[in-house]
Amino acid sequence: MHYCQRCDEPVAMAPRGDLAVCPDCGHTEPARRLPLFIVTGASGSGKTTVLPHLVRGLPECLVFDADWLIGPFERACEFGEVDWPALRDAWLSVAHGAAQSGRPTVLLAPFTREQLDVLAGRRWIRELYFAVLDCPDDVRTARLEARPRWRERAIDRHLAFAAHLRATVDPVVRTDDVSPEQSAAHIIAWVNRTLSP
Ligand SMILES: [Zn+2]
């Protein structure tokens, strides 16, 4: 992500505090690092529904939906198959870019910590925080079945992923027994609490 502009060969720089440092010549450049908040959830969790409320409630952050890069990646990838690790790494780059303007990023994305920890962009993010949007299986099934026909369903796979996230991510924010505004309010409070404990 950061390559030394002094060395004759492309040398990947390493993070040190809020600097990128060339391991060969010692050249440095600014590389501010901030936390990245991942609001994860299996399909049908309500990520898209809470998005506008998070945008309104977190004006000091940049809020994105990871799905926004799927179309460009389908065009960029051979045979239209999205390279998911590359797409996740692209979002880490976006978050690092936003950090240069002093803005933490909140990303709605069906990602796990294990998927992000192995990526090149991970070390340019200060901390990764996860919350999960969740609902009971019958609610999720009904939501997925109500989607337009062009959207993939794969309901069993989404239920299994939801169970994994429910067991491994804290906090869990329910989206079935409260309004989208109330679900978003939990996320907003979690982000603000984490940024200014
Ligand atoms: Zn160098």
Side-chain angles (χ1 to χ4, degrees), residues 182-195:
Q182 288 170 307
S183 299
H186 286 295
I187 299 288
I188 291 163
W190 166 69
V191 169
N192 287 330
R193 205 166 54 233
T194 307
L195 287 173

Side-chain angles (χ1 to χ4, degrees), residues 3-9 11 13 21-27:
Y3 286 93
C4 183
Q5 303 299 315
R6 289 259 177 89
C7 286
D8 289 332
E9 301 293 323
V11 177
M13 302 175 85
V21 183
C22 174
D24 283 5
C25 74
H27 174 63

Side-chain angles (χ1 to χ4, degrees), residues 42-51 108 133 135 140 143 175:
S43 287
S45 294
K47 296 191 292 295
T48 308
T49 316
V50 303
L51 175 80
L108 291 146
L133 295 177
C135 61
R140 187 181 310 275
R143 286 177 181 171
T175 61

Side-chain angles (χ1 to χ4, degrees), residues 117-139:
D117 275 345
V118 297
L119 299 173
R122 170 62 187 91
R123 59 189 194 151
W124 299 102
I125 303 294
R126 203 170 72 196
E127 298 102 359
L128 274 181
Y129 296 106
F130 281 79
V132 59
L133 295 177
D134 196 24
C135 61
D137 286 354
D138 58 330
V139 174

Side-chain angles (χ1 to χ4, degrees), residues 52-194:
H53 304 290
L54 293 184
V55 170
R56 264 199 298 283
L58 290 168
E60 68 284 9
C61 298
L62 291 182
V63 183
F64 298 109
D65 184 335
D67 285 359
W68 293 341
L69 283 185
I70 290 178
F73 266 72
E74 282 173 342
R75 289 196 288 281
C77 296
E78 209 175 358
F79 311 122
E81 288 282 328
V82 171
D83 179 335
W84 283 95
L87 185 142
R88 295 183 194 110
D89 212 18
W91 278 116
L92 295 182
S93 290
V94 169
H96 181 55
Q100 305 320 296
S101 301
R103 312 275 294 274
T105 293
V106 178
L107 180 62
L108 291 146
F111 298 166
T112 66
R113 185 180 294 280
E114 293 71 32
Q115 290 168 341
L116 299 187
D117 275 345
V118 297
L119 299 173
R122 170 62 187 91
R123 59 189 194 151
W124 299 102
I125 303 294
R126 203 170 72 196
E127 298 102 359
L128 274 181
Y129 296 106
F130 281 79
V132 59
L133 295 177
D134 196 24
C135 61
D137 286 354
D138 58 330
V139 174
R140 187 181 310 275
T141 300
R143 286 177 181 171
L144 292 170
E145 284 175 345
R147 285 182 170 182
R149 291 163 62 125
W150 59 267
R151 297 200 54 182
E152 60 94 26
R153 294 224 161 77
I155 289 173
D156 289 346
R157 186 161 57 80
H158 296 316
L159 292 180
F161 186 47
H164 170 74
L165 292 175
R166 192 179 301 134
T168 55
V169 178
D170 179 50
V172 177
V173 176
R174 291 275 292 264
T175 61
D176 56 298
D177 50 359
V178 294
S179 69
E181 289 91 334
Q182 288 170 307
S183 299
H186 286 295
I187 299 288
I188 291 163
W190 166 69
V191 169
N192 287 330
R193 205 166 54 233
T194 307

